Structure formats: C-alpha cells, structure tokens
Amino acid sequence: MSTELKLSEIRQIAVTVSDVEAALCFYRDVLGLKLLFSAGPNLAFLDASGIRIMLTTPQGSGSVGANSTLYFKVSDIGATHSALVARGAKNEREPQITVKMPDHELWIGFLRDPDGNLVGLLEERR
C-alpha cells in the first residue's frame, strides 16, 4: 500500500480584495458566478462550477491585488472577453493564441477585478 500523499483537485480559491461588497458585485454581476453565502462583511463565497471562490479582506500578511490568477475555461474566448468588458471588467490583454498543441490551440486573455487581481480566460480550440 502506497503512503504517497497526492492532491487531486482545487475546491476553493481565496482572493484578497479591499472591499468584499465591491468584489462581490464584480464576480457575481460581471462574471456571472453564483453567490453561495456571505459570512459577515469580510467574507463571501461564490461557485465556479463546483470550485468555491472566497472573497476576503487581507488576513495576516495578505495583500490586495497580489494573488494568483484565476483562469476560467470558456467556449468562445473572443465573445466572452468582449461581453465581460462591456459589463464592466477592465481589459488587461485581448485573447491571443498562447501555444499550439498537437490536438488544440490554447488561447488566453486577461481581465482585472476592481482590486487589480488578474482574471484569466482560456479556450482550448480543437
């Protein structure tokens, strides 16, 4: 029997923001994620197809706008990127081909949330 520890999948991602209510408006109303629940004024949880996104103010040494990028898989990156910018997301980089794989092309574009955190969009074109 193997005692090797393995991590399998992401279930929750924390995003440090300056104002949870403002960030909630962006992630819920602009990106269209479902609000699961709020826990006081400094915590909100949303659903991204089974992965919880936790919006929180800085805890301990956390800093606003200096987080890992969230990448959302989409089926039409050009249309999705344009629609999200039209709904109030700040464009960081228009979608472009990143790499050609043997069976698909990887396209990536970026947006910014109200605190400057990167939000990536990715499409695997076959």
Side-chain angles (χ1 to χ4, degrees):
M1 183 161 86
S2 173
T3 60
E4 184 178 328
L5 175 66
K6 292 183 182 180
L7 300 179
S8 62
E9 61 188 62
I10 295 172
R11 300 304 267 160
Q12 180 170 299
I13 298 169
V15 179
T16 305
V17 299
S18 60
D19 180 327
V20 170
E21 188 59 37
L24 180 59
C25 289
F26 176 80
Y27 285 90
R28 181 191 58 213
D29 302 338
V30 174
L31 297 186
L33 300 181
K34 178 184 174 192
L35 174 65
L36 295 172
F37 62 95
S38 293
N42 296 322
L43 281 175
F45 295 84
L46 300 111
D47 178 58
S49 295
I51 298 173
R52 280 187 309 272
I53 306 296
M54 179 181 81
L55 303 176
T56 181
T57 54
Q59 306 293 316
S61 62
S63 62
V64 171
N67 294 289
S68 299
T69 305
L70 299 174
Y71 287 87
F72 293 92
K73 185 177 179 180
V74 299
S75 60
D76 183 339
I77 195 167
T80 302
H81 185 272
S82 294
L84 295 176
V85 169
R87 285 166 46 184
K90 181 182 175 200
N91 176 41
E92 176 65 23
R93 189 181 87 195
E94 296 287 329
Q96 63 188 37
I97 189 168
T98 302
V99 66
K100 289 186 179 188
M101 305 295 281
D103 64 338
H104 70 278
E105 296 176 344
L106 178 62
W107 285 71
I108 297 180
F110 293 97
L111 307 166
R112 293 241 178 226
D113 77 3
D115 286 302
N117 295 303
L118 274 177
V119 175
L121 303 176
L122 68 86
E123 177 184 353
E124 296 172 337
R125 285 190 188 163
R126 304 212 180 266

